[in-house]
Amino acid sequence: MWLTKLWVVPFALFLYKCDCKSRTNITLPSDLLIGTASSAYQIEGAWNSDGKGESIWDRMTHNMSFKIMDGSNGDVACDSYHKIKEDVDIIHRLGVQFYRFSVSWTRILPTGFPSKINKAGIRYYNKLINSLLKRGVMPIATIYHWDLPQSLQDLGGWANPLIQDWFENYAKVLFENFGDRIKVWITVNEPRQMCSYSYSTGVYAPGIISEGVGVYLCYHNVLRAHARVYHLYNTTYKPLQKGKIGINIETSWFEPATSSAADKSAAERMWQFECGISAHPIFSEKGDYPKLVKYVVAKRSKEEGFPRSRLPRFTPEEISYIKGTSDFFGLNHYATLKVRPKKSLKGVSELNDIGVDVVKEYENRNKTWSFYFRSVPWGFTKLLINIKYRYQNPDVYIFETGVPDEGTLDDKHRINYFKANLAAVVSSIREDGVKVRAFTVWSLMDSFEWRSGYKYHFGLYSLNFSTPERIRTPKASAHFVRSVTKNRRFQLIQ
């Protein structure tokens, strides 16, 4: 989710100002699905229970706790592994139509390989899926949400081309055990955030620092592995299981700081490196990485003394194989940012390849994360329209949008954020013809927020992590979501 974007955290967003008197009553389209979400490492806990293996986040939080703001870990987290009933109860109370969760690779395959399938892990997810369906909630499963088995990282992880085989074998186990009930699959969550912060700057597990090199190896293998799993599902399982499968991409919307040509170019370049590098090979008519990205990295690589571009090339066969491998455009969106060209581009790094700075317009007066997450509905609308026209108007599943707090039940700022973003989505559907099919509130409950630990909270439900009970307490935003799902409408201005 958004907290992966560490380099934009100090920069505030912009207030949405418009005359909305004529649009105070927002009614949702009848076919727009509303849901909420979580991920395995962030909520499950039970890090070494019932045969689960060690993940890269287990290793990093235990051995490099200094990389986490509060020195915490996900050993217990929300204890969701032991609280399926509680979790499904609060999901049901929200009245949402679906719940997006992720599967822990090491809970299913403790060694990372299918030679050892953990029956306890299979039972856990079967119980979760069946409990959701019994309550009328559609389960949506993310195959990979950043918790790679440490055993595979020891072999190179996402920098090793063999991960295509490992990922396909893992996905096959999931399809065979859960595919009869899971009708929407997400292969990989947020390729750019995962690759940039795990294999470039090293702030996220596994903590690899390889700026401008490891990040592109990761991209390359993620896209190839994703395509392998898509084709596996499409040819072997989809005919019987009748589901959909796709990738999930996080991107902000980028506005030029001024109307100058240089600032406009910076905004386009930022888009291509942020979103296009993952989306273009899959959704564009010709496939492959964006021409601009290939040109910039090749040019800078040559100037830096590399014998070839740091961005690997796809073969013609790979371009064809990857193109079209998603039944929907999975989208996570949190921010709109103003950008301009970066002044200094010395040193090998992805950020210097991009060559863009985010404009700082506000000071953090109230010292809360919510200050940075000012809703920019017109930016969200521009993003959706951009996806429509760049990528042949795909079905769009918004799988994350949200805003943090620092510990409050009266989270009016979160309600206002959701209202503005949901209104923007409804407008994009009705006025611009964007085919948005789902809107997901991030997240179900407060949880381990990666590098931020438990310092910031995105949940509709609050948890007291200092108590073993981990009681789920609804915030004001949970009541708002329940009202929206019940009435299918809300008041934009009150």
Short mmCIF file of all heavy atoms in Angstrom, two decimals, residues 107-136:
data_model
loop_
_atom_site.label_atom_id
_atom_site.label_comp_id
_atom_site.label_asym_id
_atom_site.label_seq_id
_atom_site.Cartn_x
_atom_site.Cartn_y
_atom_site.Cartn_z
N ARG A 107 3.15 -20.21 4.43
CA ARG A 107 2.16 -20.96 5.19
C ARG A 107 1.66 -22.15 4.37
O ARG A 107 1.22 -23.15 4.92
CB ARG A 107 0.99 -20.06 5.60
CG ARG A 107 0.21 -20.63 6.78
CD ARG A 107 -0.86 -19.70 7.29
NE ARG A 107 -0.39 -18.47 7.88
CZ ARG A 107 0.18 -18.37 9.07
NH1 ARG A 107 0.39 -19.44 9.81
NH2 ARG A 107 0.56 -17.18 9.54
N ILE A 108 1.74 -22.02 3.06
CA ILE A 108 1.33 -23.11 2.16
C ILE A 108 2.51 -24.01 1.81
O ILE A 108 2.41 -25.24 1.87
CB ILE A 108 0.72 -22.52 0.87
CG1 ILE A 108 -0.53 -21.69 1.20
CG2 ILE A 108 0.38 -23.63 -0.13
CD1 ILE A 108 -1.66 -22.48 1.81
N LEU A 109 3.64 -23.38 1.45
CA LEU A 109 4.84 -24.12 1.08
C LEU A 109 5.99 -23.65 1.98
O LEU A 109 6.68 -22.67 1.66
CB LEU A 109 5.20 -23.89 -0.39
CG LEU A 109 4.12 -24.20 -1.43
CD1 LEU A 109 4.62 -23.87 -2.84
CD2 LEU A 109 3.67 -25.66 -1.34
N PRO A 110 6.20 -24.28 3.12
CA PRO A 110 7.19 -23.80 4.10
C PRO A 110 8.60 -23.64 3.55
O PRO A 110 9.34 -22.75 3.99
CB PRO A 110 7.14 -24.86 5.20
CG PRO A 110 5.79 -25.48 5.07
CD PRO A 110 5.47 -25.45 3.60
N THR A 111 8.98 -24.49 2.60
CA THR A 111 10.32 -24.39 2.01
C THR A 111 10.33 -23.56 0.73
O THR A 111 11.39 -23.34 0.14
CB THR A 111 10.87 -25.79 1.66
OG1 THR A 111 10.07 -26.38 0.61
CG2 THR A 111 10.84 -26.71 2.87
N GLY A 112 9.15 -23.12 0.31
CA GLY A 112 9.03 -22.38 -0.94
C GLY A 112 8.73 -23.25 -2.12
O GLY A 112 8.31 -22.76 -3.18
N PHE A 113 8.92 -24.57 -1.97
CA PHE A 113 8.75 -25.52 -3.06
C PHE A 113 7.57 -26.46 -2.79
O PHE A 113 7.25 -26.75 -1.63
CB PHE A 113 10.02 -26.34 -3.26
CG PHE A 113 11.22 -25.51 -3.63
CD1 PHE A 113 12.20 -25.23 -2.68
CD2 PHE A 113 11.36 -24.99 -4.90
CE1 PHE A 113 13.31 -24.46 -3.00
CE2 PHE A 113 12.48 -24.23 -5.24
CZ PHE A 113 13.44 -23.96 -4.29
N PRO A 114 6.91 -26.96 -3.85
CA PRO A 114 5.73 -27.81 -3.66
C PRO A 114 6.04 -29.23 -3.20
O PRO A 114 5.13 -30.04 -3.06
CB PRO A 114 5.09 -27.82 -5.05
CG PRO A 114 6.22 -27.58 -5.99
CD PRO A 114 7.16 -26.65 -5.27
N SER A 115 7.32 -29.52 -2.96
CA SER A 115 7.67 -30.84 -2.43
C SER A 115 7.14 -31.04 -1.02
O SER A 115 7.02 -32.17 -0.54
CB SER A 115 9.19 -31.03 -2.44
OG SER A 115 9.82 -29.97 -1.71
N LYS A 116 6.81 -29.91 -0.35
CA LYS A 116 6.25 -29.98 0.99
C LYS A 116 5.08 -29.01 1.09
O LYS A 116 5.28 -27.80 1.17
CB LYS A 116 7.30 -29.66 2.05
CG LYS A 116 6.78 -29.77 3.48
CD LYS A 116 7.85 -29.45 4.50
CE LYS A 116 7.31 -29.57 5.93
NZ LYS A 116 8.35 -29.22 6.94
N ILE A 117 3.86 -29.55 1.07
CA ILE A 117 2.65 -28.73 1.19
C ILE A 117 2.14 -28.82 2.63
O ILE A 117 1.95 -29.91 3.16
CB ILE A 117 1.57 -29.20 0.20
CG1 ILE A 117 2.07 -29.06 -1.24
CG2 ILE A 117 0.29 -28.40 0.39
CD1 ILE A 117 1.11 -29.60 -2.28
N ASN A 118 1.97 -27.67 3.23
CA ASN A 118 1.56 -27.60 4.64
C ASN A 118 0.03 -27.71 4.75
O ASN A 118 -0.70 -26.79 4.41
CB ASN A 118 2.05 -26.28 5.25
CG ASN A 118 1.72 -26.18 6.73
OD1 ASN A 118 1.54 -27.19 7.41
ND2 ASN A 118 1.64 -24.96 7.22
N LYS A 119 -0.45 -28.82 5.24
CA LYS A 119 -1.88 -29.07 5.33
C LYS A 119 -2.58 -28.08 6.27
O LYS A 119 -3.74 -27.71 6.04
CB LYS A 119 -2.15 -30.51 5.78
CG LYS A 119 -1.72 -31.55 4.75
CD LYS A 119 -2.03 -32.96 5.24
CE LYS A 119 -1.64 -33.99 4.18
NZ LYS A 119 -1.90 -35.39 4.65
N ALA A 120 -1.88 -27.66 7.30
CA ALA A 120 -2.48 -26.70 8.23
C ALA A 120 -2.74 -25.36 7.52
O ALA A 120 -3.76 -24.71 7.77
CB ALA A 120 -1.57 -26.49 9.44
N GLY A 121 -1.84 -24.97 6.66
CA GLY A 121 -2.03 -23.75 5.88
C GLY A 121 -3.21 -23.86 4.94
O GLY A 121 -4.01 -22.92 4.80
N ILE A 122 -3.33 -25.00 4.30
CA ILE A 122 -4.48 -25.25 3.41
C ILE A 122 -5.78 -25.17 4.20
O ILE A 122 -6.76 -24.55 3.76
CB ILE A 122 -4.36 -26.62 2.72
CG1 ILE A 122 -3.09 -26.70 1.85
CG2 ILE A 122 -5.61 -26.92 1.89
CD1 ILE A 122 -3.08 -25.81 0.65
N ARG A 123 -5.79 -25.77 5.39
CA ARG A 123 -7.00 -25.74 6.22
C ARG A 123 -7.37 -24.31 6.62
O ARG A 123 -8.55 -23.94 6.62
CB ARG A 123 -6.80 -26.60 7.48
CG ARG A 123 -6.89 -28.10 7.26
CD ARG A 123 -7.06 -28.83 8.57
NE ARG A 123 -5.94 -28.61 9.48
CZ ARG A 123 -4.84 -29.36 9.52
NH1 ARG A 123 -4.72 -30.38 8.69
NH2 ARG A 123 -3.88 -29.09 10.38
N TYR A 124 -6.36 -23.52 6.97
CA TYR A 124 -6.62 -22.15 7.40
C TYR A 124 -7.32 -21.35 6.30
O TYR A 124 -8.36 -20.72 6.54
CB TYR A 124 -5.31 -21.46 7.79
CG TYR A 124 -5.46 -19.96 7.97
CD1 TYR A 124 -6.16 -19.44 9.04
CD2 TYR A 124 -4.90 -19.08 7.04
CE1 TYR A 124 -6.31 -18.06 9.20
CE2 TYR A 124 -5.05 -17.70 7.20
CZ TYR A 124 -5.75 -17.20 8.27
OH TYR A 124 -5.91 -15.85 8.42
N TYR A 125 -6.79 -21.39 5.08
CA TYR A 125 -7.40 -20.60 4.00
C TYR A 125 -8.72 -21.20 3.54
O TYR A 125 -9.62 -20.45 3.15
CB TYR A 125 -6.40 -20.44 2.84
CG TYR A 125 -5.25 -19.55 3.22
CD1 TYR A 125 -3.98 -20.07 3.41
CD2 TYR A 125 -5.45 -18.18 3.44
CE1 TYR A 125 -2.91 -19.26 3.78
CE2 TYR A 125 -4.39 -17.37 3.82
CZ TYR A 125 -3.13 -17.90 3.99
OH TYR A 125 -2.09 -17.10 4.38
N ASN A 126 -8.85 -22.50 3.61
CA ASN A 126 -10.16 -23.11 3.31
C ASN A 126 -11.22 -22.61 4.29
O ASN A 126 -12.35 -22.28 3.90
CB ASN A 126 -10.07 -24.63 3.37
CG ASN A 126 -9.69 -25.25 2.04
OD1 ASN A 126 -10.00 -24.70 0.98
ND2 ASN A 126 -9.01 -26.38 2.09
N LYS A 127 -10.85 -22.57 5.56
CA LYS A 127 -11.81 -22.11 6.57
C LYS A 127 -12.17 -20.65 6.35
O LYS A 127 -13.34 -20.25 6.46
CB LYS A 127 -11.23 -22.32 7.96
CG LYS A 127 -12.20 -21.98 9.08
CD LYS A 127 -11.60 -22.29 10.46
CE LYS A 127 -12.58 -21.93 11.58
NZ LYS A 127 -12.00 -22.22 12.92
N LEU A 128 -11.18 -19.81 6.03
CA LEU A 128 -11.43 -18.40 5.78
C LEU A 128 -12.34 -18.22 4.57
O LEU A 128 -13.35 -17.50 4.62
CB LEU A 128 -10.11 -17.66 5.55
CG LEU A 128 -10.22 -16.19 5.11
CD1 LEU A 128 -10.94 -15.36 6.17
CD2 LEU A 128 -8.84 -15.62 4.81
N ILE A 129 -12.02 -18.89 3.48
CA ILE A 129 -12.80 -18.78 2.24
C ILE A 129 -14.23 -19.25 2.47
O ILE A 129 -15.20 -18.59 2.08
CB ILE A 129 -12.13 -19.57 1.11
CG1 ILE A 129 -10.80 -18.91 0.71
CG2 ILE A 129 -13.05 -19.69 -0.10
CD1 ILE A 129 -9.91 -19.78 -0.16
N ASN A 130 -14.38 -20.40 3.09
CA ASN A 130 -15.72 -20.95 3.32
C ASN A 130 -16.55 -20.07 4.26
O ASN A 130 -17.76 -19.92 4.09
CB ASN A 130 -15.61 -22.38 3.87
CG ASN A 130 -15.06 -23.36 2.85
OD1 ASN A 130 -15.11 -23.10 1.65
ND2 ASN A 130 -14.52 -24.47 3.32
N SER A 131 -15.89 -19.49 5.27
CA SER A 131 -16.59 -18.61 6.20
C SER A 131 -17.08 -17.35 5.50
O SER A 131 -18.19 -16.88 5.75
CB SER A 131 -15.68 -18.24 7.37
OG SER A 131 -15.30 -19.38 8.11
N LEU A 132 -16.26 -16.81 4.61
CA LEU A 132 -16.67 -15.63 3.84
C LEU A 132 -17.86 -15.95 2.96
O LEU A 132 -18.85 -15.22 2.92
CB LEU A 132 -15.50 -15.13 2.99
CG LEU A 132 -14.34 -14.47 3.74
CD1 LEU A 132 -13.14 -14.32 2.83
CD2 LEU A 132 -14.76 -13.11 4.31
N LEU A 133 -17.77 -17.05 2.23
CA LEU A 133 -18.86 -17.42 1.31
C LEU A 133 -20.16 -17.69 2.07
O LEU A 133 -21.25 -17.34 1.60
CB LEU A 133 -18.45 -18.66 0.51
CG LEU A 133 -17.35 -18.42 -0.53
CD1 LEU A 133 -16.87 -19.74 -1.12
CD2 LEU A 133 -17.84 -17.49 -1.65
N LYS A 134 -20.04 -18.28 3.24
CA LYS A 134 -21.22 -18.56 4.06
C LYS A 134 -21.93 -17.27 4.45
O LYS A 134 -23.17 -17.23 4.58
CB LYS A 134 -20.83 -19.35 5.31
CG LYS A 134 -22.00 -19.83 6.14
CD LYS A 134 -21.52 -20.69 7.30
CE LYS A 134 -22.70 -21.18 8.14
NZ LYS A 134 -22.23 -22.02 9.28
N ARG A 135 -21.17 -16.18 4.60
CA ARG A 135 -21.74 -14.88 4.95
C ARG A 135 -22.08 -14.04 3.72
O ARG A 135 -22.42 -12.86 3.84
CB ARG A 135 -20.75 -14.11 5.83
CG ARG A 135 -20.52 -14.72 7.21
CD ARG A 135 -21.79 -14.68 8.07
NE ARG A 135 -21.54 -14.96 9.47
CZ ARG A 135 -21.36 -14.06 10.42
NH1 ARG A 135 -21.40 -12.77 10.11
NH2 ARG A 135 -21.15 -14.42 11.66
N GLY A 136 -21.94 -14.61 2.55
CA GLY A 136 -22.29 -13.89 1.33
C GLY A 136 -21.24 -12.91 0.86
O GLY A 136 -21.54 -11.98 0.11
#
